[in-house]
Amino acid sequence: MASLKQGLKQILLNKQHKVYENEVAAKNLTYNSWIEGQEKKVVVEEHIENIDVKFLANDSKIFKNEGIRKENDGKNAERNGVPGEENSRHIQDNEQCQWIKILDKRNPEQGGKIQMSIFANEFCHDIEYHLKNSIAEVILITFYPGECNRISYPLIDKIFRENEKIVLAYGDEDVLKGGVREKPWFKPDWSPDRFLSCFYFGGLVAVRTKALKETYIRCKEKGILEKEQGNGCGGTAYEAGELLYLLFYEMLKAHKAFSKGHELSAAVVYHIRHVLFHSIANGYEQIQNLKLPVVYEGHTKKSCEDMVSIIIPSKDNPEVLFHCINSLFQKTRSELSFEIILVDNGSREENKKRITEEVFRLNQMRPEKKTALYFEGCTYVYHPMPFNFSGMCNLGAANARGKILLFLNDDMEIIQSNWMDLMAEKAVLPYAGAVGAKLLYPDSDVIQHAGITNLRVGPAHKLQFLHDEEIHYFGMNRGVHNMLAVTGACLMLSKDVFDKAGGFCEELAVAFNDVDLCYTIHEMGYYNIVRNDVTFFHHESLSRGKDGDSPEKQRRLIRERDILYDRHGELYGKDPFYNPGLVTDMLQTEYLPAFHYQVTLDMPWSEPVPLDRTVQRAREDKCLVVGMECAMDIYKWRYGGLPKKGRIKGRQEDMGYYFQGYSFIIGSDNACYKKKLLLKNSDSQKIWSLAVESRYRKDIKDNLKDQVNVELTGFVARMRRGQIPEGVYRLGMLAEDKCSTQKLVNWSNWVLEVVV
């Protein structure tokens, strides 16, 4: 009998494994198949035709042009947009130059709408020759080996033809290896500070010839294109990549790309959100090796006479506070003057006394003024009130004397000597908003913060919990980047910008107040910046615990998130510094291409089923992991607000609730389990179950190498409105083993408030 049962179980197991393997195969998309499907949706005007004319040094023939084979005939070739024979002598052996003519099929006799020339980085050392001889309106420059995507030419043509102010355009790229596309680099929109830190434009750049030529002539006349020598006796020429970077900088600066106002900048530098270039190697490595010339007025380190006011909110944490202040004096080396403002919302009397004594001690240091620090004193603002981070920061700013404000958590630890100079260097720029830093967990290289990204499910700390010793997604934890927001745990900005933004929103007492301030600053046209070359240790949330670690805190987090998007509805689901080709629908810390996981809402509606007895018979077990990532009203998920407040009329398919997350059973064969999402009413304790659809989760699979069959750990579901009573529901998971009678249940801290 035992052997019969074992044989029966093995049959069931084999059946489940086959079903599971088929589902994995169907849902495991590759980047190559996904991107080809995406590019089929790209609308390219039918009347535009690409004529690809190649010219080689050893071959004077021009390839087929609309079915007519032509020969290179010198001057006539020049009139057709191709270099004449006399130009071919200039092109060295084994170098190749392409000339592309975009023709309008509706008016073929009129010739090209825009002519574009492409030349490889090998030619860049003779940029003067190409600018002088190019008859093209747009020059395409490749910086490392590769080829243009088939959609590149018509898209570039369209952009330059429809936007006369654009002088430079760049796109995304990937690697082409053995006919298969991989390793996509989805880039941000124009990011002035990232450009100053790294040539992130990548392998293919399109430039308006007239603008580049004018820049070259001006720079040549001013001697900008020669390196200065230490003895001041003349200079040497820049290398090819350096020269082009320098020309791009001067050109973009002259066209106001480094100015306040995103519309003004976007009219000059355009990011085409499509893959335009296939490199044959890792192009980012070559960009890392590019030595950027040192730049210049307003963008280099310069002396700053403005005082920095360091505002530290704190209550009943004297040990933590003193550790922060001590690290500031021990580690900081700067010629900037600064003051400290401590804002206390009601410490106990014994702690108030200790802080008062420490403030007195600090102020006794003022006359000494050591060469390394210019300390202008410490102010203690004691103002008992309920905890409101925004109110405390605003109170500190009201007492500040400096023109630069730095909001600093009391649980921060300074570990870098030049942090103040580097942050202030950016904060004083006329287009700069909030400036943040990279925060690590204490005594480790584990990232806590490297800028805030605005996902559809809310603001997210990308790269959190990843090791900083590794370079993540084309240098997102290196150098300087523009981000939509930075954390208020360490946030510097000019007092002028802070006042114009109206300070911190005091309606947001605990969460999202820093994000709200940064969103306001962004909407005013400023660029927020995170300096990953400035690092702190952050003893995160020592004083009040973590947001969302209980149902009550999670409900409060949702309420404050709703306030955030009520105030910034136009930004909901949008982030110019986070490419939509990346995952936008989940709080994923890594930068993953969207094919890994993107919500489509095409799953069937689930009908809620009362499930009290089944759950009672199940064993509650922590080995069943429940990771909720989203549980919210579908209309709100789509548009950022509720229908009664929204500007968009809801459709029938928007009237419901959407759920997503992941779940797996530790130490078990996950292919054997069928899962149901549970909703428990907080008042009646009544439980409903929802059928879920599985989703392929590469991130979970990669992180759980010691677990069995965890590819399909993702789940999604949607439920119509009005199918369960109003109330607050706690979310959990029921897992039933299809090869045995085992049933497991576990609950998350996530809750959903159902309102009719």
Side-chain angles (χ1 to χ4, degrees), residues 175-367:
V175 174
L176 186 63
K177 190 175 181 180
V180 177
R181 294 165 65 178
E182 59 184 23
K183 299 178 182 177
W185 182 3
F186 293 117
K187 303 166 189 174
D189 290 348
W190 168 235
S191 303
D193 294 281
R194 187 169 186 182
F195 173 78
L196 294 171
S197 173
C198 168
F199 188 74
Y200 78 95
F201 292 160
L204 177 69
V205 182
V207 191
R208 200 175 292 276
T209 310
K210 182 175 181 290
L212 190 61
K213 186 180 293 187
E214 290 172 350
T215 302
Y216 180 83
I217 294 170
R218 176 171 51 83
C219 292
K220 191 79 171 175
E221 291 174 349
K222 292 184 177 182
I224 295 175
L225 302 184
E226 290 187 354
K227 294 182 180 179
E228 293 184 7
Q229 298 300 300
N231 57 12
C233 298
T236 58
Y238 283 103
E239 294 180 4
E242 294 178 303
L243 175 61
L244 278 167
Y245 175 84
L246 187 58
L247 284 173
F248 289 167
Y249 171 80
E250 292 290 342
M251 179 181 69
L252 296 179
K253 186 175 67 169
H255 285 80
K256 310 298 184 186
F258 296 96
S259 303
K260 173 179 172 286
H262 307 119
E263 292 182 3
L264 176 63
S265 298
V268 175
V269 187
Y270 193 90
H271 171 216
I272 300 173
R273 292 179 172 181
H274 294 285
V275 173
L276 302 185
F277 188 69
H278 311 307
S279 66
I280 59 175
N282 189 343
Y284 176 69
E285 291 180 358
Q286 299 184 54
I287 285 194
Q288 282 182 297
N289 295 328
L290 178 62
K291 296 178 181 178
L292 303 185
V294 177
V295 291
Y296 351 175
E297 321 134 26
H299 291 131
T300 52
K301 182 177 179 180
K302 66 174 186 176
S303 60
C304 176
E305 297 178 358
D306 298 336
M307 183 169 74
V308 178
S309 295
I310 302 175
I311 299 164
I312 307 177
S314 186
K315 175 189 174 183
D316 281 327
N317 280 293
E319 297 298 336
V320 172
L321 174 63
F322 297 163
H323 180 74
C324 173
I325 293 174
N326 289 338
S327 71
L328 192 156
F329 281 98
Q330 290 171 6
K331 295 291 185 180
T332 306
R333 295 294 178 267
S334 173
E335 294 184 358
L336 292 170
S337 63
F338 69 96
E339 65 172 346
I340 298 174
I341 301 170
L342 304 180
V343 182
D344 189 333
N345 66 319
S347 288
R348 296 190 302 271
E349 194 59 37
E350 61 270 26
N351 289 330
K352 178 185 176 184
K353 181 180 178 182
R354 289 184 63 188
I355 296 170
T356 302
E357 291 172 350
E358 177 65 13
V359 170
F360 178 80
R361 185 188 71 81
L362 291 173
N363 284 326
Q364 293 301 108
M365 298 168 53
R366 288 185 63 190

Side-chain angles (χ1 to χ4, degrees), residues 454-495:
N454 188 38
L455 304 180
R456 186 181 289 274
V457 289
H461 288 266
K462 282 292 181 179
L463 306 183
Q464 189 174 20
F465 307 123
L466 302 182
H467 287 280
D468 191 43
E469 64 180 11
E470 301 175 27
I471 297 177
H472 299 286
Y473 202 73
F474 304 98
M476 288 305 298
N477 58 323
R478 297 287 186 268
V480 184
H481 298 261
N482 295 106
M483 303 288 285
L484 200 56
V486 298
T487 178
C490 179
L491 186 155
M492 181 183 282
L493 78 170
S494 75
K495 194 172 190 302

Side-chain angles (χ1 to χ4, degrees), residues 57 297 374 494 673 710:
E297 321 134 26
Y374 291 86
S494 75
Y673 286 86
V710 286

